[in-house]
Amino acid sequence: QVQLVESGGGLVQAGGSLRLSCAASGSIFSINVMGWYRQAPGKQRDLVATISSGLSTNYADSVKGRFTISRDNAKNTVVLQMNSLKPEDTGVYYCNLNFYDVFTEKRNFYWGQGTQVTVSS
């Protein structure tokens, strides 16, 4: 089994910064993708940023230039540094880990419990 434990989040004024961290443990294939998704009230869960074990990154257009994702492969941790936060960044942020299992020939997806980020105007 894989477990994802998130930390960070909270309440911040517009223009401020927050840092989210996520630590993964369990049976994790070394080639994987970690990332963050967010879900605003009444909306679907959307991608914020991802980073592969090869350190390739992908960002939602809405956060480019403001958010930075990084990871430590040795520790299986991922960090999302969020700067210049806007009220529309408000939502529950979920850590995600996915990898292709060569034994089952399936891609496995795992989620953290979510952490609330609220940006006040």
Side-chain angles (χ1 to χ4, degrees):
Q1 263 304 353
V2 174
Q3 288 189 325
L4 300 175
V5 178
E6 300 150 342
S7 60
L11 173 64
V12 66
Q13 288 188 332
S17 298
L18 284 174
R19 180 182 174 94
L20 304 182
S21 298
C22 174
S25 61
S27 301
I28 302 168
F29 195 64
S30 59
I31 300 175
N32 59 68
V33 178
M34 297 188 77
W36 293 92
Y37 292 70
R38 70 185 174 201
Q39 188 166 20
K43 295 188 177 181
Q44 66 181 18
R45 190 175 299 185
D46 291 327
L47 179 147
V48 175
T50 62
I51 183 168
S52 70
S53 49
L55 304 183
S56 295
T57 59
N58 181 43
Y59 294 93
D61 288 342
S62 60
V63 307
K64 285 180 180 177
R66 299 188 298 122
F67 291 11
T68 301
I69 191 168
S70 59
R71 64 182 290 166
D72 183 330
N73 283 337
K75 298 180 180 179
N76 285 321
T77 57
V78 62
V79 171
L80 184 68
Q81 178 65 44
M82 305 185 292
N83 299 328
S84 303
L85 283 161
K86 303 176 181 180
E88 51 263 43
D89 294 319
T90 294
V92 179
Y93 283 67
Y94 295 91
C95 179
N96 172 268
L97 166 73
N98 70 84
F99 59 87
Y100 183 77
D101 189 323
V102 296
F103 299 105
T104 64
E105 298 182 338
K106 294 181 179 179
R107 180 163 289 274
N108 298 325
F109 291 83
Y110 300 93
W111 295 95
Q113 77 280 4
T115 184
Q116 178 69 44
V117 171
T118 302
V119 184
S120 63
S121 57

